[in-house]
Amino acid sequence: MATVIVAGGATGIGRACVGLFRERGDNVVLIDHRPEAQAVADESGKGECLFLQRDLADPAVPKEAVALAVERFGGVDTLLITAALMVSSALEDWTNEMWDRTVALNLKMPFFFTQAAAPYLKASANPSIVFTSSTGAIKGHAGMSAYQPPRRPCRGWRVV
Ligand SMILES: NC(=O)c1ccc[n+]([C@@H]2O[C@H](COP(=O)([O-])OP(=O)(O)OC[C@H]3O[C@@H](n4cnc5c(N)ncnc54)[C@H](O)[C@@H]3O)[C@@H](O)[C@H]2O)c1
């Protein structure tokens, strides 16, 4: 049985993973800004699920979510980050706000979640961090200037 943090799970990949984790008995802390995620947390499962309704672009959220996982479940074994923002716009229409919000969610949030969870992951017998990515990591898409991660993974990264 593991303790899992899922950042973004009202819908899509995160939602499906919450169900699978709980089915095998893992406890989950689910963070999402959409209130519909409460229904995901309320679904039955062997493991528990706590829902924290937060905007993940808020830099205070990673520490808060990790503290909740530690307080309620005793640690963190798995960090799954699926929340992201994909803005597509003509070059001339891009604003600072569009860039800043994308960077806050897609770049800073996974980093600071990892930083907050790191002491507990180091203490776990079976730690893992999973970041969902995009074909945009390999090939650029027109209009999505802020969404594209570095073209090549950094040394030590493993793309699965
Ligand atoms: N599904 C695909 O085909 C696909 C393809 C390429 C990349 N991706 C990437 O994989 C990830 C997951 O994809 P998905 O299809 O499950 O997406 P999704 O939109 O269904 O799920 C993302 C979840 O993150 C939540 N979220 C978004 N912004 C948030 C915020 N600011 N604060 C809190 N929660 C927030 C949403 O409410 C949602 O529940 C995304 O990062 C996406 O960019 C998906």
Side-chain angles (χ1 to χ4, degrees), residues 30-115:
L30 164 62
I31 309 102
D32 205 290
H33 60 169
R34 291 200 214 169
E36 304 93 280
Q38 185 63 59
V40 178
D42 289 343
E43 284 168 9
S44 59
K46 283 188 213 148
E48 289 181 49
C49 185
L50 302 177
F51 169 47
L52 201 54
Q53 187 180 354
R54 295 286 184 274
D55 178 359
L56 282 156
D58 176 349
V61 171
K63 277 188 184 166
E64 182 189 8
V66 168
L68 179 65
V70 172
E71 183 196 318
R72 293 292 295 271
F73 302 128
V76 179
D77 302 293
T78 303
L79 184 59
L80 169 62
I81 309 279
T82 73
L85 179 63
M86 189 178 74
V87 178
S88 181
S89 184
L91 179 63
E92 60 272 23
D93 295 328
W94 273 92
T95 63
N96 267 301
E97 195 199 5
M98 287 152 76
W99 258 96
D100 288 350
R101 187 151 175 84
T102 305
V103 169
L105 190 65
N106 296 11
L107 187 63
K108 289 171 75 176
M109 183 270 287
F111 176 84
F112 285 107
F113 241 120
T114 303
Q115 183 193 58

